[in-house]
């Protein structure tokens, strides 16, 4: 071996990690009554034992094994690459997986295979940021416009945004970047909270949590809706009375309705000055969202299940949304989310990133903060979702203070879980699951 | 055990079957240069050894193991069901898998998990048709309108078609059904062929195969395009000269272009009186297809990669297509394809089913024929794709005569492969693959 042999990716280790969250009805909504928040977790090992990259795909339980199998299928695309091949060419690193003709057939660019590719791409970005000694938001923000654009696949986007337009937007932001970094470090980034609003909670628990949220500095609260319109009217009314007129209330139907049903239901909720209705119908239904938006005064939003940049493009082109969610672990990694953020900026659509689940807060904060610094310069007219679940399993958990995410300072993408979590929650043989199995037998 | 214990599903057996088609460049197109046609194959075993149901998801090689893992994840949803629970309630059989909240997170209703669910649903229909002693097309066609509508999930469709509208359409077709069955048995269903048009073929091979196709009775030929516009102009011109004005020529770009590029390219091909351009851009881009259709005179089509009924709905609503493909093995089985066929009929859009690959001809012929008998009564203004690959691996292969698919008469959905094929082509340990591995080492 040569003295200066380059550091290489030596392994892609994968894990099926599940948390038994269904036991408390945390995370219950109109479409997902009993989720067990889970992660198909990916680690890019290198022959430097101190350096690895971490990523994950988030699922809600069954099928997390399929998601892990999709991660396993990506091993030949990454093992053996040098560190330089990954971190100096994150565009190429992503394109080899996204563009592989045989894997592409399994989507294209959607569902299990795309989420797995996204997780491995994100692990590559984590590796690059760790190597550079920067938190990911800052690593992205300090790329040159040319470097950033080179990571993005503009295929299918050129009727909405071109690489040249993206370059111009990024160059326009350059002079303000260092001041924005200081501002972000001082102020944090606004958060909103969904913790009070799960459908499985009693009114009393919901109102107690809403009061606590306001006391904790949150200016927006989100409630799950969609099982019973009478319940939703009552819950919105109670929360509005409790928090007063100055705290924003958003609602989330988690894809529950058909188009006409959404319109009828939302007309019943128009009196509560809602900040937005999230996922009123199928995430695939661009024209349906546009029809709902034309028919009701509640601002319309979707995005956490939006499969890729092509659907986002159409949401923008059709004027189907007032704002969007992005999700760090559903689309093709940081690269595709950068394309989505650039389109949102061009079309003037505000982004309220989706989080919660397992590690989604840890991940997506970096994208919102990079957007503030390098793209839009906006943060006080938007907010990142915050749910107070499962952060204790991460090495670098999010920090919330006075309703704001504090900017991470540790290197990387914050997705690394504790080694003990990987042992304890491994499905089906970790002690949390094997003990449950034992308990069920008695 | 009771004397008349009901017959049950005892196992879901799954197989990773791959054919080394990349060695001949069969199936090469602008996006898929070297496919190894593959199937994730599913068998619903029962405790009647003479009765099983067969289904498959089609892939083009790598990732077929992920597709098989998704089939494996469905075992708990089907093993232990009685035969009656499957064959008397094919709507419920599908809904338990499609609607499972945890699995749904992996799509929803798209990609690897949805294709796996579709394969198992199709195996359920195969089982029902075999049990009834009918070919599937006839089994579907002889359901009452109420029975057929009960198999369909109308969620997210009601702004385009309601169950009542579907019932009315099906009832209107009732009186003609028996005469149409006789007509179908006598005449067959028109086929078109893609065999001459693969991009990897020389002009000489293309023209020889085109002449043979016309001599064999085909009235439509499809060519792959999208790598070089000059090549495409030459190939279209040569084939038009060879087949004359009365044979239709379609072209297929396999998602190669962005919207503006598609328009520019297709303007170069407008002089050849093309029957349609298939997949000019991303299958997710409803608005893109609509823009292309507005800009060029070539009829626009897509559908083989359209992930589910919600995207099909929008293609129809947006006037994005002149015609569509359906695929038997991409969406959620027969149930979802029936929803798509009913919408196509309502919107007056002709269907040219996608086939080729592994078993896609065998499967999709049944859907087109059921559509003729029970829904539209139309077949001579449309055609099913035919590619002459890999039929020899099936127990009940398609029969083509004078450019027509003959209606299958054996019970079932025609997806059952030979036992010897399952042994020989199993990846990675079947002899076809292990011998290749051995050869590669020398």
């Amino acid at each position: 071996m040569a003295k200066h042999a380059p550091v290489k990716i030596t392994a892609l280790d994968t894990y099926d990690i599940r948390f038994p969250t269904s036991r408390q009805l945390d995370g219950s909504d109109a479409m997902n009554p009993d989720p067990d928040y889970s992660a198909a977790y990916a680690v890019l090992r290198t022959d430097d034992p101190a350096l690895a990259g971490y990523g994950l795909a988030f699922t809600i339980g069954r099928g997390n094994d399929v998601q892990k199998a999709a991660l396993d299928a990506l091993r030949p695309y990454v093992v053996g690459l040098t560190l330089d091949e990954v971190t100096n060419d994150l565009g190429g690193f992503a394109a080899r997986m996204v563009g592989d003709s045989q894997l592409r057939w399994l989507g294209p660019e959607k569902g299990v295979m795309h989420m797995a590719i996204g997780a491995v791409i994100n692990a590559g970005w984590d590796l690059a940021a760790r190597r550079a000694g920067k938190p990911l938001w800052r690593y992205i923000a300090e790329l040159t416009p040319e470097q950033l654009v080179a990571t993005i696949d503009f295929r299918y986007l050129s009727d909405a945004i071109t690489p040249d337009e993206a370059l111009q937007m990024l160059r326009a932001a350059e002079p303000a970047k260092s001041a924005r970094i200081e501002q972000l470090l001082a102020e944090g980034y606004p958060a909103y909270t969904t913790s009070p609003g799960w459908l499985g909670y009693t009114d009393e628990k919901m109102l107690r949590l809403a009061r606590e949220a306001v006391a904790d500095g949150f200016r927006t609260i989100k409630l799950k809706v969609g099982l019973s319109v009478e319940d939703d009217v009552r819950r919105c009314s109670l929360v509005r009375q409790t928090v007063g007129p100055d705290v924003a209330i958003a609602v989330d139907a988690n894809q529950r309705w058909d188009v006409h049903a959404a319109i009828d239901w939302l007309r019943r909720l128009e009196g509560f000055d809602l900040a937005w209705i999230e996922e009123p119908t199928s995430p695939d239904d661009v024209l349906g969202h546009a029809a709902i938006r034309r028919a009701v005064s509640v601002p319309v939003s979707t995005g956490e299940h939006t499969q890729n940049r092509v659907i986002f493009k159409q949401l923008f082109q059709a004027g189907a949304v007032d704002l969007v969610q992005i999700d760090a672990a559903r689309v093709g990694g940081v690269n595709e989310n950068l394309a989505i953020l650039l389109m949102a900026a061009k079309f003037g659509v505000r982004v309220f990133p989706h989080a919660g689940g397992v590690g989604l807060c840890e991940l997506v904060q970096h994208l919102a903060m990079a957007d503030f610094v390098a793209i839009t310069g906006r943060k006080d007219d938007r907010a990142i979702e915050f749910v107070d679940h499962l952060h204790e399993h991460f090495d670098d958990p999010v920090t919330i203070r006075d309703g704001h995410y504090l900017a991470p300072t540790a290197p990387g993408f914050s997705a690394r879980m504790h080694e003990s979590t990987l042992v304890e929650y491994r499905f089906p043989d970790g002690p949390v699951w094997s003990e449950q199995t034992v308990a069920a037998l008695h």
Side-chain angles (χ1 to χ4, degrees), chain A:
Chain A
M1 198 187 233
K3 196 178 170 190
H4 297 288
V7 176
K8 285 190 175 177
I9 307 288
T10 53
L12 171 61
D13 289 344
T14 66
Y15 303 83
D16 179 352
I17 304 299
R18 306 192 194 187
F19 301 91
T21 47
S22 62
R23 297 178 198 169
Q24 269 83 44
L25 295 185
D26 294 341
S28 57
D29 65 48
M31 292 292 273
N32 306 295
D34 56 354
D36 284 326
Y37 285 166
S38 303
Y41 184 67
V43 184
L44 289 173
R45 310 274 179 206
T46 74
D47 42 18
D48 175 353
L51 188 60
Y54 304 87
L56 60 85
F58 169 61
T59 80
I60 62 171
R62 289 183 292 278
N64 202 47
D65 48 339
V66 181
Q67 196 59 60
K68 178 182 177 299
L71 291 174
D72 290 333
L74 296 170
R75 204 162 277 127
Y77 297 80
V78 297
V79 172
L81 294 174
T82 67
L83 217 50
D84 284 343
E85 286 173 316
V86 178
T87 67
N88 295 348
D89 182 19
L90 285 159
F93 178 69
R96 280 188 294 273
M97 294 183 278
V98 175
D100 177 89
S101 65
Q102 296 190 5
L103 294 184
R104 196 175 176 283
W105 193 269
L106 303 176
E109 298 185 56
K110 59 181 67 76
V112 167
M113 200 68 240
H114 200 49
M115 288 162 70
I117 289 171
V120 174
I121 291 171
N122 283 346
W125 282 86
D126 181 56
L127 192 58
R130 286 176 190 275
R131 189 187 199 193
K134 297 179 187 180
L136 183 77
W137 65 267
R138 187 163 188 151
Y139 180 81
I140 296 171
E142 294 182 349
L143 292 176
T144 67
E146 293 74 16
Q147 287 172 322
L148 197 152
V149 163
T151 70
I152 297 175
D153 180 1
F154 284 88
R155 171 166 269 185
Y156 303 137
L157 298 188
S158 61
D159 56 325
I161 190 169
T162 64
D164 277 350
E165 287 177 295
L167 269 179
Q168 285 169 32
M169 293 165 66
L170 293 165
R171 285 176 185 151
E174 283 282 283
K177 279 192 337 192
S178 57
R180 289 178 189 162
I181 288 174
E182 295 311 312
Q183 187 187 354
L184 182 68
L185 288 167
E187 298 175 357
Y189 194 108
Y192 78 87
T193 179
T194 311
S195 293
W198 302 108
L199 276 182
Y201 289 175
T202 62
D203 288 353
E204 288 67 30
K205 184 169 183 179
M206 172 181 73
L207 294 177
R208 175 173 58 79
L209 292 171
R211 278 188 294 266
E212 290 176 11
V214 174
D216 289 343
F218 291 101
R219 306 308 294 162
T220 303
I221 288 170
K222 192 168 77 184
L223 307 178
K224 299 293 183 174
V225 296
L227 276 190
S228 147
V229 70
E230 280 71 31
D231 282 354
D232 292 345
V233 167
R234 189 189 74 253
R235 286 156 48 88
C236 286
S237 175
L238 286 171
V239 174
R240 176 56 76 210
Q241 289 165 33
T242 300
V243 302
D246 296 334
V247 171
I249 302 172
V251 294
D252 185 348
N254 291 90
Q255 315 170 21
R256 184 73 182 179
W257 303 311
D258 280 29
V259 172
H260 298 314
I263 292 169
D264 292 345
W265 199 296
L266 290 168
R267 286 190 173 144
R268 298 282 305 274
L269 302 181
E270 286 184 319
F272 300 108
D273 188 25
L274 298 175
W276 70 82
I277 169 66
E278 188 167 323
E279 291 202 310
T281 190
S282 165
D284 306 341
D285 199 349
V286 172
L287 300 179
H289 283 87
I292 295 165
R293 185 170 179 237
R294 284 193 301 271
V296 301
S297 63
V298 183
V300 170
S301 182
T302 193
E304 74 175 70
H305 271 85
T306 301
Q307 65 203 31
N308 60 34
R309 68 197 181 285
V310 180
I311 301 288
F312 273 104
K313 178 186 78 167
Q314 293 174 85
L315 290 170
F316 300 137
Q317 290 174 319
V321 286
D322 294 274
L323 51 101
V324 288
Q325 284 67 54
I326 60 167
D327 183 285
R330 181 158 296 272
V331 302
V334 171
N335 314 53
E336 190 162 25
N337 265 317
L338 288 172
I340 294 161
L341 289 168
L342 284 161
M343 284 193 288
K346 180 179 168 188
F347 284 84
V349 172
R350 288 175 301 153
V351 177
F352 286 71
H354 172 242
V358 180
L360 298 182
C361 300
E362 278 68 22
L363 288 164
V364 87
Q365 60 179 337
H366 291 276
L367 301 175
M369 292 175 188
D371 174 77
F372 168 68
V373 176
I375 303 177
T376 61
R378 308 292 291 253
K379 67 181 176 63
D380 294 327
D381 62 349
R382 52 200 72 198
I384 305 167
E385 186 167 19
F386 173 67
V387 189
D388 197 4
H389 290 161
L390 303 174
H391 302 290
E392 65 275 19
H393 296 288
F394 289 85
D395 276 8
D396 183 27
V398 296
T399 307
I400 301 289
R401 192 167 303 160
D402 194 26
H404 286 69
Y405 279 79
L406 299 194
T409 55
F413 204 170
S414 308
R416 185 180 183 182
M417 288 191 205
H418 298 319
E419 292 302 317
S420 58
T421 292
L422 302 183
V423 173
E424 203 172 341
Y425 292 89
R426 193 169 68 183
F427 187 87
D429 55 341
V432 165
W433 293 104
S434 53
E435 282 164 22
Q436 188 183 41
T437 309
V438 170
L441 293 172
H442 292 284

